[in-house]
Amino acid sequence: MDWLYELFTNNESVAHIALLYACVIAVGVYLGKVKFFGISLGVTFVLFAGIVAGHFHFTAPLPILTFIQDFGLILFVFMIGLQVGPGFFESFKKGGVTLNLLSTACILLNIVVMFACYYAFFDTSNRDTLPMLVGTLYGAVTNTPGLGAASEALTNVYGDSVPEIASGYACAYPLGVVGIICATIAVRYLCRVKLSVEDKQLEDEEAANPHEKPFVMHLKVDNIYLAGRTLMQISEFLNRDFVCTRILHNGVVSIPNRDTVFEIGDEILVVCAEADSEPVKAFIGPVVDEEWKYELEAQPMVSRRIVVTKPSMNGKTLGKMHFSSLYGVNVTRITRHGIDLFAGRNHHFHIGDRVMVVGPEDNVKRVEEIMGNSAHRLNAPNIATIFVGILVGIIFGALPIAIPGMPVPMKLGIAGGPLIIAILIGRFGYRVKLVTYTTTSANMMLREIGLVLFLASVGIKAGAGFWDTVVAGDGLKYVYSGFLITIIPILLIGTLTRLRYKFNYFTIMGMLAGTYTDPPALAYANQICTREAPAVGYSTVYPLSMFLRILTAQLVILFFCG
């Protein structure tokens, strides 16, 4: 059995290193599925499994641990950047500015509370205390990329003697997951919110929006200007979204397209927003008393999710496609990498976008042909884009930025550089012919692989000193400091958002979950709300929050730990 003993003890062996990561990751992932009071720690439990392995000297050479940790972090943050990039700039539209400002204030408050705990509870003469509290901060807000960014920034400041801040992260993370949900519930009671009233408010808002109510009209063309004009020309001149689903010309009923020519006396079946009905009627002609009932029955309205797979669609805007006016359908939702985006006129389509289209069945099929909807085209991975982006991101992250008052030039590093480049590629990559699409499952797989490699490495490295630092040291202080960092900003910002800005409580829940980049909190919000308000609030602030969490991690280390 010597071979088995050597496999577990020979730290220099490749097989031993592979076995180490396989054991830590497998144990951590399985234990992370165990729920305590309905809440699980998820993949983050890999960190705790790594700490146990490191404590019992089940480890690997430090350079190898560091390499795997950094590579995992790069892969993790880059795939996050690709996911949030398309919605990063759009998140500032449609009232998102206020939510993002409140989210930013919450992030800054997290840092303020951290410093308050630092001066109130800890020995400020110890050089390692503040870095440990930074780790505690990112455990309290359940943000692993921030932990990675802070760890990397510490390497630039401390050199080889880097404090293992993952110990502080591990102390704060469990109560962080629970505290976010509990503090959100506390906001509900502080503001005397009734869930039934909030749900009814959302229902009334949806019902009150006239642009969401289709209005059907049978019109007779009597405007002399329209004679000899195509449907596309009429649509561009009127500048109103309307759907022409049928045309009766010389006794023959047909389905019009963008090149269909209108003549005086033609009768058309039009669907438009109720608010646009009068201008459309005034421009085209009067309402016809006789209706084509059999035509309405033959063409039911359908909704279908279509995947953009044609390269010709990459980068085109929703407004210029005239789907509503020319093809007779409405785009109600656009999903990219699992995040719902606002379907505004300036939205740019990217390969892999999943578009919810509503309209007459034949018209939906025509749009399907335009967009592609050929899922097998997406099976081939665009792996070159990923590594080109990582290459540019690493170079960008290595650029020194001299800031007065800082002991060393600031660098975005291997966390910030790839993240920013990924955001830019995710949003503007189509302009340089980069297809950034990866399936949601592929993106999640690469993210999770990078995350577990990073967490396992951090845990194994931190395990050797975990007992002295936490159990026999200031572990309890890190726990309650983390809890304060978690709940105080939520209570303040959540209450302000409700009382001052009058946001719906379900939107506030989503906003707070997105600010803390915490999926369990969003899942809880979705459980008690049947509508999309939590998901909208989450996706509105998530891109900027993720960026700020990573950026502020490095700024705090470089400004205050140098």
Side-chain angles (χ1 to χ4, degrees), residues 519-557:
L522 177 63
Y524 172 75
N526 286 331
Q527 284 178 4
I528 65 173
C529 179
T530 58
R531 304 184 186 277
E532 297 181 354
V536 171
Y538 184 92
S539 60
T540 298
V541 304
Y542 178 86
L544 181 63
S545 296
M546 181 63 76
F547 173 74
L548 290 178
R549 292 290 186 194
I550 293 175
L551 180 63
T552 54
Q554 298 179 88
L555 292 177
V556 169
I557 293 296

Side-chain angles (χ1 to χ4, degrees), residues 62 127-128 131 154-155 157-164:
L62 184 60
R127 189 176 182 229
D128 292 344
L154 277 171
T155 304
V157 175
Y158 278 64
D160 295 331
S161 57
V162 179
E164 292 299 341

